[in-house]
Amino acid sequence: MRGFRTALVEKGDFAVGTSSRSTRLIHGGIRYLEYREFRLVFDACTERRILRGIAPRLVRPLAFLYPLYAGQRPPAWKLRLGLTLYDALSLFRNVQMHRWLSSQEAARREPLVAGRGLIGVGRYYDAQVNDARLTLAMARAAHLHGAVVVNYAPVVGLMKTGGRIVGAQVVDARTGREIEVRARIVVNATGVWADRIRALDEPGVRPMLRPTKGIHLLIPRTRLHTHHAVLFTSPRDGRHMFVIPWKDFALIGTTDTDYQGDLDDPAADSGDVEYLLEAVNHLFPGARITPSDIVSTFAGLRPLVAALGHPSAVSRTHVIVESPSGLLTITGGKLTTARRMAEELTDRAQKRLAEMGVRAQSGCRTREPLEGAQIEAVEIEIPDDRVARHLVETYGGEARWILGYIEENSALGEPIVPGRPYLLAEALYAVGHEMAVTLCDVLIRRTHVIYDARDGGLSRARAVAEVMAPRLGWDQAEIERQLADYAAQVALTRTPFSA
Ligand SMILES: Cc1cc2nc3c(=O)[nH]c(=O)nc-3n(C[C@H](O)[C@H](O)[C@H](O)COP(=O)(O)OP(=O)(O)OC[C@H]3O[C@@H](n4cnc5c(N)ncnc54)[C@H](O)[C@@H]3O)c2cc1C
């Protein structure tokens, strides 16, 4: 958008890493007030406002409750002060200012938090997002503005001339072909993998990241039907966590533990699950949530910049570092602050380019509406309201494509899995318009079938693969490979409670 020729290469699918495994919030981060991270909270609140403005279909306001019980920390005055500060750091421009609800009022509005010595409840607003879809929308918008955007294209080496980086060796993961991409500036924005790219530049360089793992549980809302998102603390260690209404589910998370395992496939373990269940049953004793209520789990790794102390206390701020050969690494931060991180990074790149005599055509323009993320009126003649709503909310005006596929082949109007709103036609749209090239792309990130269906959608995965196959030139052997890869991912989301 500043007029530079830009290429983005991603080793897997867009958002395959941490950006599809978050708590799905665009938030100021109220809990960081505890660590006096006022600047971080201010920046995140500002970004929350910008993202709601530029991507209103994707980033939606969500009301949160913070119930306070007798004997619990923080004291009520401090919580109320914190909520006022949270409003102030949003420059009083959030959806609504916070409100303090008496225990009686809270009992009426959210019966599940009532009783047990409830003193009162703070209500405030943050926002909710489908993280993988926001990431995809940003990549698609970049493409619309002229960037070359390629998935399944890992960087395997960096090219140098006279000690300066002048490009990267990239492999087309599907064919194995290696391509050299020349560039005046190379940016390393690879999340928890950032140290690996840094090591390609400077072998033996000291790692800067301390990845921590966070997991989530998804349980049917029929088992825990809160009307609001609820922020609460673990009885074990006082850490903050959330129960968040997510469509027909309650999303519960998260944990924060140091992680040394495989960066590509983190998964919840039984300790993580027990920890969350203990906390949620402590807050909602009547709900008696058991492992058999869990539909799925997912785990993500935070690309935190190394620091000592408890992981929850490690700062979420981002850093930009420039190596002697010119590699720009950006890491840390939050999904919420991604736009701002990109702005700062591009400012730095622009400066370096100016030194090389390359001028920008404009300044930062990412406060303009994000393409494909606006609310549009779409006429949808589908008898099932839930499906119609799902299509409009997920695709906006582009839902017309999906309807078009169904008009031409009514079989594509079948649900992917019974009881969920996803349609087979979405798989076709994902291949044709959203660069989905594997079954996992469709069932994990373009849709959430993996998380939402009791069996992870395994019983219907073949039907989806068969819709995708002709478009992607898959033969029978490839279909079997896709199914096996997907089954392996489903297994990761079902451990460790499945029979
Ligand atoms: C449990 C959890 C909950 C969270 N909740 C929230 C939340 O609610 N709100 C919020 O704002 N933030 C949240 N975060 C933080 C947020 O998700 C992350 O800060 C953000 O997603 C990180 O994005 P990233 O682009 O840096 O990393 P990633 O999303 O991991 O992207 C890095 C990408 O680089 C690619 N890559 C790696 N190596 C190579 C290579 N050699 N060549 C090409 N590509 C490569 C990877 O495949 C990956 O897709 C949460 C994080 C976790 C773990």
Side-chain angles (χ1 to χ4, degrees), residues 9-27 153-156 189-193 197 212-216 254-255 300-303 330-337 341:
V9 292
E10 159 57 59
K11 92 174 158 78
D13 184 25
F14 306 112
V16 69
T18 309
S19 297
S20 58
R21 300 152 185 269
S22 78
T23 311
R24 306 174 184 167
L25 297 178
I26 296 299
H27 60 157
V155 166
V156 293
T190 53
V192 284
W193 293 267
I197 301 292
T212 73
K213 183 177 78 168
I215 76 130
H216 290 86
T254 170
T255 58
L301 302 176
R302 296 180 185 83
I330 181 159
T331 192
K334 306 273 296 169
L335 193 68
T336 305
T337 52
M341 290 166 71

Side-chain angles (χ1 to χ4, degrees), residues 330-372:
I330 181 159
T331 192
K334 306 273 296 169
L335 193 68
T336 305
T337 52
R339 191 213 61 86
R340 183 192 171 90
M341 290 166 71
E343 178 176 348
E344 278 178 27
L345 189 282
T346 313
D347 286 346
R348 178 81 74 100
Q350 182 168 333
K351 217 159 131 194
R352 293 289 167 267
L353 286 164
E355 288 159 12
M356 298 173 201
V358 181
R359 300 262 158 238
Q361 286 168 6
S362 81
C364 176
R365 288 176 43 202
T366 53
R367 288 169 195 236
E368 293 174 15
L370 185 68
E371 287 81 359

